[in-house]
Amino acid sequence: MPEGERITKRGAIRQENEARILAAAEKVFAEAGFGGATMQLIADMAGLPKANLHYYFPTKEELYRKVVRQIFEIWLHAADSFDEAPGPVEAIGAYVDAKMEISRSHPFGSKVWASEVMHGAPVIQDYLETTLREWTAGRARLIQKWVDEGKMAPIDPHHLLYMLWATTQHYADFGHQIETLNGGRPLSDRQWKAAKETVKSIILRGIGAI
């Protein structure tokens, strides 16, 4: 096998193993918390030897921070619509769609983040004080610009963002409650679509954007 092909294959194996580990770690950290999770539990969930886990992530804290950073970066990309949209209807509508889809596809990551923050963010406080603060300030300035242009009601941009986060992440963090109230079944594709449209309608009408 040519050297370039071997390198490509090794890279693909590494990506696959890291993805398996991160998916397993999301679930274990969500269910057991940082303190209750062990590298052995995560290795078992991933179906890999513990030694392999330590090869990719030498410590539990490093793996935990990677899990948290991954969901955070996914959420950040969901807000790209703010930079590209002409106004709040398009930006917030697309943001709600993206955030709710993330709640559907990454419920455990959302729960890890929620648990971490509710416990005072002992591991990721630096993220909150830097990246999240800067990101929030940038989105708030853009929302204020739309307010000043008369595209939406004069509301506090920060509280709008808090409401968007709380509403969209509810579908991940309280997924069990939603399933229970849905007859013990996960929401269907049709129900997810209806949920997105309902949330968008309530928020966009509430801020006077439509």
Side-chain angles (χ1 to χ4, degrees):
M1 181 184 295
E3 180 64 21
E5 193 173 328
R6 279 199 297 270
I7 293 173
T8 300
K9 185 175 181 181
R10 284 199 300 268
I13 292 171
R14 182 181 184 90
Q15 286 184 341
E16 180 183 343
N17 284 341
E18 286 188 353
R20 286 173 65 183
I21 292 168
L22 288 171
E26 274 190 1
K27 191 172 191 304
V28 173
F29 284 132
E31 294 177 346
F34 179 77
T38 66
M39 295 295 265
Q40 187 63 62
L41 276 174
I42 295 168
D44 292 344
M45 179 70 68
L48 294 170
K50 185 180 175 183
N52 283 33
L53 202 66
H54 283 289
Y55 172 77
Y56 293 106
F57 300 97
T59 67
K60 184 173 73 168
E61 180 171 333
E62 184 176 333
L63 176 54
Y64 182 81
R65 288 178 68 87
K66 178 65 176 180
V67 167
V68 172
R69 187 166 66 245
Q70 176 177 257
I71 189 66
F72 185 47
E73 289 173 353
I74 291 171
W75 282 339
L76 290 183
H77 287 306
D80 288 347
S81 58
F82 275 70
D83 299 317
E84 302 160 359
V89 174
E90 299 83 359
I92 294 172
Y95 185 52
V96 169
D97 279 338
K99 280 294 301 301
M100 289 187 67
E101 197 55 43
I102 294 165
S103 287
R104 189 181 190 183
S105 60
H106 291 273
F108 295 115
S110 180
K111 290 173 184 175
V112 173
W113 178 275
S115 177
E116 168 72 11
V117 173
M118 285 191 293
H119 285 86
V123 178
I124 62 153
Q125 182 64 25
D126 56 328
Y127 287 172
L128 304 187
E129 293 177 352
T130 55
T131 308
L132 180 61
R133 180 177 289 166
E134 293 165 7
W135 181 92
T136 301
R139 300 309 105 179
R141 284 193 297 271
L142 189 50
I143 292 170
Q144 186 59 53
K145 176 175 176 288
W146 293 332
V147 169
D148 295 341
E149 292 172 348
K151 294 180 178 179
M152 55 184 286
I155 51 88
D156 185 312
H158 288 85
H159 290 295
L160 173 57
L161 288 170
Y162 302 156
M163 182 178 292
L164 288 167
W165 299 341
T167 304
T168 55
Q169 288 160 229
H170 175 90
Y171 288 84
D173 302 341
F174 290 85
H176 178 73
Q177 178 174 275
I178 291 173
E179 287 188 16
T180 299
L181 296 174
N182 193 46
R185 300 181 302 276
L187 296 183
S188 65
D189 289 345
R190 179 183 59 79
Q191 289 174 312
W192 271 103
K193 182 178 179 181
K196 290 177 185 177
E197 294 304 317
T198 299
V199 170
K200 286 187 291 185
S201 177
I202 292 170
I203 291 176
L204 292 174
R205 291 179 189 280
I207 63 173
I210 57 175

